[in-house]
Amino acid sequence: DTGVSQDPRHKITKRGQNVTFRCDPISEHNRLYWYRQTLGQGPEFLTYFQNEAQLEKSRLLSDRFSAERPKGSFSTLEIQRTEQGDSAMYLCASRPRWGARGGETQYFGPGTRLLVL
Amino acid sequence: SQQGEEDPQALSIQEGENATMNCSYKTSINNLQWYRQNSGRGLVHLILIRSNEREKHSGRLRVTLDTSKKSSSLLITASRAADTASYFCATKETSGSRLTFGEGTQLTVNP
């Protein structure tokens, strides 16, 4: 399978704990996005990387959230001191480099569903 | 905040009928994309229409874009039970790289 993969697919944690999610983009896609989706809503943008550089961050990304893409390949999203309001589906997407075929399309992974108790 | 607004929020039709979903947005865009999401799963890209295009087809899908009204529609012809899913429009503004999604239309196709 050469699509976007995310790990874990499901995570249950207690309030106050830290969690980390991983996203592996489609190989050779240099752009990577994180979105959050709550029940009954559309995805909301969190952050965007081009290669290893984090170029855009949403105001939704509070101080408790941090994302990295250290080598320009996989990315991690960490949430510290989780709150019940963090319960959501966290979606990762990747996109080819400018000028490549399908370069305007974001390809989504299956998501990580987080439940904070 | 969500820029797009989809209409209707929910649509239930019989297999073989056509389904039309509408999307409105507020800012200037570079392109508009439609995605499908099966329950609890990731999003699947369906079709992209650029701001200088008015209509686009892909298989049983037809998308229109009216930039003067800041609206788009997705038509699925000859629907199948397998088309049951949530459908989202997403806009890419002229600046930035993010997609801004609407709240989606839940389509149910009854066999």
Side-chain angles (χ1 to χ4, degrees):
Chain A
D1 188 337
T2 57
V4 178
S5 61
Q6 293 187 244
D7 183 67
R9 296 290 306 277
H10 302 273
K11 180 71 177 179
I12 300 174
T13 191
K14 293 182 179 179
R15 189 176 53 188
Q17 298 293 305
N18 299 344
V19 293
T20 300
F21 309 141
R22 176 180 170 123
C23 171
D24 286 88
I26 295 171
S27 60
E28 298 182 356
H29 282 195
N30 70 330
R31 291 180 275 191
L32 187 147
Y33 304 78
W34 285 98
Y35 293 83
R36 182 175 71 184
Q37 184 179 25
T38 53
L39 202 61
Q41 301 294 314
E44 293 179 292
F45 170 80
L46 292 178
T47 190
Y48 158 59
F49 290 86
Q50 183 168 303
N51 300 311
E52 65 276 7
Q54 189 174 21
L55 298 185
E56 282 186 64
K57 289 172 64 175
S58 164
R59 285 171 289 179
L60 292 175
L61 215 65
S62 74
D63 292 347
R64 297 184 298 104
F65 287 70
S66 64
E68 295 182 343
R69 194 182 184 200
K71 298 182 180 179
S73 57
F74 73 91
S75 175
T76 57
L77 178 68
E78 181 183 16
I79 309 174
Q80 296 183 325
R81 305 181 303 282
T82 52
E83 302 173 355
Q84 288 183 325
D86 297 330
S87 296
M89 173 84 90
Y90 290 84
L91 294 161
C92 176
S94 69
R95 183 179 161 195
R97 63 187 63 249
W98 178 256
R101 182 176 181 179
E104 294 168 292
T105 300
Q106 294 186 23
Y107 297 85
F108 282 80
T112 294
R113 185 172 295 281
L114 172 67
L115 178 60
V116 182
L117 301 175
Chain B
S1 62
Q2 298 287 320
Q3 172 177 228
E5 294 182 0
E6 271 114 328
D7 169 50
Q9 289 189 334
L11 179 62
S12 181
I13 59 175
Q14 295 300 122
E15 210 165 25
E17 293 180 341
N18 295 342
T20 299
M21 290 160 266
N22 302 297
C23 167
S24 61
Y25 57 92
K26 296 175 184 174
T27 64
S28 296
I29 63 170
N30 178 276
N31 65 62
L32 185 145
Q33 305 179 35
W34 286 89
Y35 284 82
R36 182 185 73 205
Q37 186 177 38
N38 289 84
S39 180
R41 309 286 291 275
L43 285 90
V44 175
H45 182 262
L46 295 176
I47 195 165
L48 178 152
I49 187 165
R50 296 183 179 86
S51 60
N52 62 353
E53 297 175 317
R54 292 296 166 258
E55 187 171 315
K56 205 162 184 179
H57 297 255
S58 176
R60 293 184 296 114
L61 305 179
R62 173 178 170 258
V63 171
T64 63
L65 178 64
D66 187 335
T67 52
S68 67
K69 295 181 179 178
K70 290 186 165 56
S71 67
S72 173
S73 68
L74 172 68
L75 168 67
I76 304 174
T77 60
S79 63
R80 306 166 182 168
D83 295 330
T84 294
S86 292
Y87 291 82
F88 295 92
C89 71
T91 53
K92 183 191 171 305
E93 296 179 19
T94 50
S95 63
S97 188
R98 69 179 70 182
L99 290 177
T100 303
F101 285 82
E103 295 186 350
T105 293
Q106 172 62 50
L107 173 65
T108 301
V109 181
N110 301 299

